[in-house]
Amino acid sequence: MYTQIWSKYLPIIKILLKRTASGDQVLDLNRIDFERAGTGRKAGYKFTIEFKRGRVANIISGSLLASDLAFSMQEDANIRSILAENHFTVSLNTKFQLILKRVADSGE
């Protein structure tokens, strides 16, 4: 449902993932894109995805928006290779800001 919307943001998400080496990155999204495609519930637009070694490490099945983003990111070969190298969290807040963070490994 949301994969088409996420696909237009993938090029900038890739750049921002690379920039997380120097700090957290924020991408302002167009709220209207998501409200047109979705049910219009604001509360449903908040999520966090945790990527460890390129795989989703937390439960996101309750959010179609998060699931579609994770799927889209893992389908992109360049993003998939970036995700495989580090531990990231990707969060969306109620202001439609996508926050990308590189998490320091705790020596797992």
Side-chain angles (χ1 to χ4, degrees), residues 4-107:
Q4 210 170 3
I5 297 167
W6 286 125
S7 66
K8 86 176 191 180
Y9 289 106
L10 286 181
I12 189 72
I13 289 172
K14 179 176 63 177
I15 291 165
L16 293 178
L17 280 171
K18 290 178 183 177
R19 288 185 185 168
T20 59
S22 61
D24 298 349
Q25 302 295 311
V26 177
L27 173 60
D28 291 312
L29 304 175
N30 183 353
R31 172 189 304 262
I32 291 156
D33 286 345
F34 296 95
E35 289 177 347
R36 279 191 195 134
T39 58
R41 288 179 319 153
K42 262 204 234 179
Y45 294 127
K46 187 176 175 184
F47 64 78
T48 297
I49 308 169
E50 185 176 1
F51 289 100
K52 283 188 181 177
R53 294 186 282 288
R55 295 178 180 238
V56 175
N58 62 329
I59 297 170
I60 57 169
S61 57
S63 170
L64 183 59
L65 190 58
S67 298
D68 284 357
L69 174 58
F71 175 80
S72 298
M73 289 174 72
Q74 290 173 320
E75 286 292 298
D76 183 285
N78 293 320
I79 292 176
R80 190 170 52 239
S81 68
I82 295 167
L83 292 174
E85 295 169 9
N86 294 287
H87 180 179
F88 293 96
T89 60
V90 178
S91 305
L92 181 70
N93 65 23
T94 54
K95 296 176 186 173
F96 280 79
Q97 293 175 314
L98 197 67
I99 299 117
L100 299 99
K101 298 181 181 184
R102 186 174 298 196
V103 180
D105 282 328
S106 56

